[in-house]
Amino acid sequence: MSFSSRQRNEIPTSAEMRAMPNLPFFSEEHLMFQDVVDRFVEAFCSREYTREKDIAREYPYEAYASMVEQGFLGLCVPEAHGGMGADILFRTILQEGLSRYAFDMGAVYGLTCWGMDTLLHFGTQAQQAYYIPKALNGELRFSVSMTEPNAGSDLTRIALRAVDKGDHFLLNGQKVFASAAGSRDNVILLAVRTRPAEGKRHDGITMMLVPNDTPGLELRKMSTLSRHMSGTYECFYSDVRIPRENVIGDVHEGWKILGAFLVQERIGGAAMYVGNAQTAVQDAVRYASERVQFGQSIGQFQVIKHALADAATDIDAARLMTYHAAWLHAQNMPALKEAAMAKLFASEAGMRATTLGMQVLGGYAQLPEYDMERYWRDAKQNLVSAGTSEIQKNIIAKAIGL
Ligand SMILES: Cc1cc2nc3c(=O)[nH]c(=O)nc-3n(C[C@H](O)[C@H](O)[C@H](O)COP(=O)(O)OP(=O)(O)OC[C@H]3O[C@@H](n4cnc5c(N)ncnc54)[C@H](O)[C@@H]3O)c2cc1C
C-alpha cells in the first residue's frame, strides 16, 4: 500500500517511513541491502532485546556475534583483506538500520569499523595480518580512547604520557569516557603523548593498540545517562608497558590519524541519529493514535499532529543530508562541511523528535518499557560525542569563510 492510499491511523512501517523514491544516491544493490538490514535488525537487534540490554546495562554480545556471522564487519573492508569492499553508502544504510531501537547498537559496530579503517590505512602489514582477520571473525573488537579530563573538544591537550624505552613505551596517565573499552576481547585505539607539548600542540601525539587486559590498566565503568549497552569507562594507566610494534603509523604523528576518519564518523553518527529518531516519531505517532483523552485520540489535537509532522519533516531532511554527505565521500569528493552539517542537523533533529516524543507519551514516556526515555537519553549524548554541536558549527563556519 502506498503512503497516499493509507487510511488514517495506519502507522507506516520503517521502510515506508524512509521511502524516498527519488533518493538519487542509491543503486539497486543499496536498495536490496536496505531490505537485508531491515530483516536483520528485527531478527537480531529487536526492540525487546535492545530494551533488555539497555536496562541491564549489558554489552549486546549476541547481536554483535550475529553482525559478525552476517559478515557485516567486513562490509567496507577491501576484498584483499577478506571483506566485501562495499562503498560507504552501504555502511551508512547499515548504521541507520542498526540504530533503529538504540543509537548504541550502531555505535558498537561503528567502533570496530573505526579500528579496522585505521589499521587498513596506517597499520603495518603485520598489524593488518594479525588484527583484521580477528576483527572480522569476532575474536576481538575495537574501541577508541582520546578524551581525557583536560582534553575534551580540544584534543591537542592530550597528556597521557608514553615514554620511549626502546622496545616498548611506558604509559602513565588517565583517560575518560572510553566507550566499550571494558567489553570482552577489546583492543583500545589509544591516543598518547610521546613528546612534551611545545609550540604546535598537535605534534607529539601517537596512536597505539592497547588490549584492555594489559597489566597496569584499570577500567572503571562510569554511570552515564546514555550508552548503557556499550558502557563508558575511566581508564587509569600505571606503568603500562606497550610493545613498540603496537604503535600505529609514525611516533609523534598520531594527529593525522585522529583526524583521518572524522568525516566518516560524522556521517555514520548522523545515520544512526536518523535511524533512531525515526523510530521515536513512529512510536509517538502510534501512541498519539491510540491514546484517547477528552473523547478523541490525542493525535487529532492539531498541536500534536503538527508537531509530529514537523518532526517527520526534520528527519527526512536529516536523512537527505546524511546520504548526500555519504555519497560525496563515496565519490572521493570533499565532504567535510556536508558531514559536519549532517551530524549537526541530524543530532539536533533527533533531540527535538525525542523531546517531543517524551511530551506526547505523557507520564508513560518515563517508563523503560515505552522505549522513549532511552531514545531521548541517547539523543542528548549525540549533541556532545563525535564533536559537540558547537564544534560542528565552528567547522561549518570555517568552511563558509569565517
Ligand atoms: C557517553 C559518552 C561516551 C563517549 N565516548 C567516547 C569515546 O568512546 N572515546 C572518546 O575519546 N571520547 C568519548 N566521549 C567523550 C566526548 O567525545 C567528549 O565528551 C566531547 O568531545 C566533549 O568534550 P568534553 O565533555 O570535555 O566537553 P568540553 O570540550 O569541555 O566542552 C564543554 C562545552 O563547551 C563547548 N565548547 C568547547 N570548545 C568550544 C569552542 N571552541 N567553541 C564553542 N564551544 C566550545 C562545548 O561545545 C560544550 O558545550 C564520550 C562521552 C560521553 C558522555
Side-chain angles (χ1 to χ4, degrees), residues 357-371:
M358 290 297 287
Q359 195 65 16
V360 169
L361 268 65
Y364 297 92
Q366 298 195 23
L367 303 175
E369 55 268 37
Y370 282 79
D371 301 310

Side-chain angles (χ1 to χ4, degrees), residues 50-57 228-229 373-374 377:
T50 304
R51 184 191 300 150
E52 205 180 289
K53 289 286 165 186
D54 180 86
I55 291 172
R57 288 184 180 256
H228 287 184
M229 290 192 289
E373 55 89 39
R374 180 176 72 251
R377 284 189 277 109

